[in-house]
Amino acid sequence: MITKRIIPCLDVKNGRVVKGVNFQGVSDVSSPVELAEYYSRAGADELVFYDITASVEGRSLFCDILRETASKVYIPLTVGGGINTIEDFDRVLKCGADKVSVNSGAIRNPNLIEEAAKIYGDQCVVLSCDIKRVDGGFRLFAKGGRVDTGIEAIQWIKDGVARGAGEIVVNSIDTDGVKKGFDLEMLQQVIDAVNVPVIASGGAGSAQDFVTLFKEIPEMDAGLAASIFHFGEVKINELKKIMADNGINVRLN
């Protein structure tokens, strides 16, 4: 049985970790380096590091902070934000990332997924998708959830995997920061559409939400969250014990 992964997400703005609700109203949390070190010790399986305003501001990701963060953690690190070219992939990987997450850059140039996969391997290319319900369907959003692309999200994900994306992060804008549970309906559709690892993001408010996620969708590979971990509402080692007690296979420290 595959071990389910628990992944804290560090949304970084102006060199600080921040968190908002429905992708809006962000507030300061902590230093990304300090928080990453903490999670590395606390039992996280991986870390995701997003420079959340790089795309909308049209600039490159903060490499100095990334380099320092990567030097302090000993678990896989996925990095995204402002990834628009192969050069961006190269730069981020040289700063210490293990995987690179692409979102708006792939929407502008879908061939970027294929090019990166050929150079670095499918396992390195993570397609991150910000999705919201629009007119009864699932719509793909860009620029940190600010822009409706008009693209049907499930087909976009299928196309991305066909191009070489080796992992999918599904961010539900509707449930982001609300803490009422993951968007199981949407996540099930993604799982049914692709055969690569899928990470659920958006909506976790308690340990039970993770138990429900993995019980309701056994094929789900990982659960990602931010504020409940950042503010100590859920401790990762305690979460994993609860999951194990519920028959879910996890890596325990």
Side-chain angles (χ1 to χ4, degrees):
M1 187 187 299
I2 295 175
T3 301
K4 304 302 184 185
R5 293 172 286 153
I6 299 299
I7 306 174
C9 178
L10 280 58
D11 291 329
V12 179
K13 180 181 182 182
N14 298 326
R16 299 284 294 177
V17 176
V18 296
K19 190 67 189 101
V21 177
N22 301 126
F23 285 34
Q24 301 292 320
V26 295
S27 57
D28 185 89
V29 176
S30 182
S31 152
V33 179
E34 292 173 5
L35 207 52
E37 277 190 283
Y38 165 75
Y39 287 134
S40 186
R41 296 192 305 267
D45 296 296
E46 297 186 14
L47 282 174
V48 169
F49 180 114
Y50 287 135
D51 186 340
I52 61 170
T53 55
S55 288
V56 74
E57 292 172 5
R59 59 166 172 78
S60 298
L61 184 142
F62 294 119
C63 270
D64 52 346
I65 294 171
L66 170 56
R67 197 175 289 111
E68 188 178 358
T69 301
S71 72
K72 299 288 180 66
V73 302
Y74 303 98
I75 53 179
L77 178 62
T78 297
V79 176
I83 305 297
N84 296 296
T85 65
I86 290 298
E87 289 72 27
D88 290 330
F89 268 83
D90 188 63
R91 177 171 46 81
V92 168
L93 290 167
K94 285 177 177 173
C95 286
D98 298 283
K99 295 182 278 188
V100 181
S101 176
V102 63
N103 188 330
S104 295
I107 295 170
R108 280 190 295 272
N109 175 22
N111 290 330
L112 178 61
I113 302 170
E114 193 170 357
E115 293 167 13
K118 284 180 179 175
I119 296 170
Y120 303 109
D122 292 11
Q123 80 289 340
C124 180
V125 182
V126 178
L127 181 61
S128 179
C129 306
D130 298 332
I131 302 173
K132 186 175 184 178
R133 282 176 171 75
V134 177
D135 297 330
F138 296 114
R139 195 79 59 79
L140 183 71
F141 278 63
K143 300 285 187 182
R146 296 171 177 83
V147 178
D148 183 351
T149 66
I151 298 170
E152 199 283 316
I154 306 302
Q155 187 60 51
W156 167 252
I157 290 170
K158 290 173 69 173
D159 292 344
V161 171
R163 288 179 180 275
E167 189 167 71
I168 306 295
V169 177
V170 183
N171 307 304
S172 170
I173 297 174
D174 295 313
T175 62
D176 176 70
V178 178
K179 301 183 182 179
K180 296 290 180 65
F182 292 96
D183 191 331
L184 299 178
E185 178 192 8
M186 181 181 72
L187 292 166
Q188 186 65 62
Q189 288 199 31
V190 175
I191 285 287
D192 291 343
V194 298
N195 60 355
V196 299
V198 176
I199 299 171
S201 171
S206 67
Q208 184 57 46
D209 289 334
F210 286 90
V211 172
T212 300
L213 171 69
F214 293 118
K215 287 286 191 181
E216 292 291 323
I217 311 179
E219 305 90 347
M220 186 61 60
D221 289 87
L224 180 150
S227 57
I228 61 166
F229 296 144
H230 297 343
F231 298 118
E233 297 165 46
V234 174
K235 299 279 199 307
I236 291 176
N237 57 351
E238 294 172 5
L239 166 60
K240 286 187 163 186
K241 186 176 185 308
I242 291 169
M243 289 170 60
D245 289 344
N246 280 271
I248 299 166
N249 193 28
V250 293
R251 178 183 67 86
L252 298 171
N253 285 355

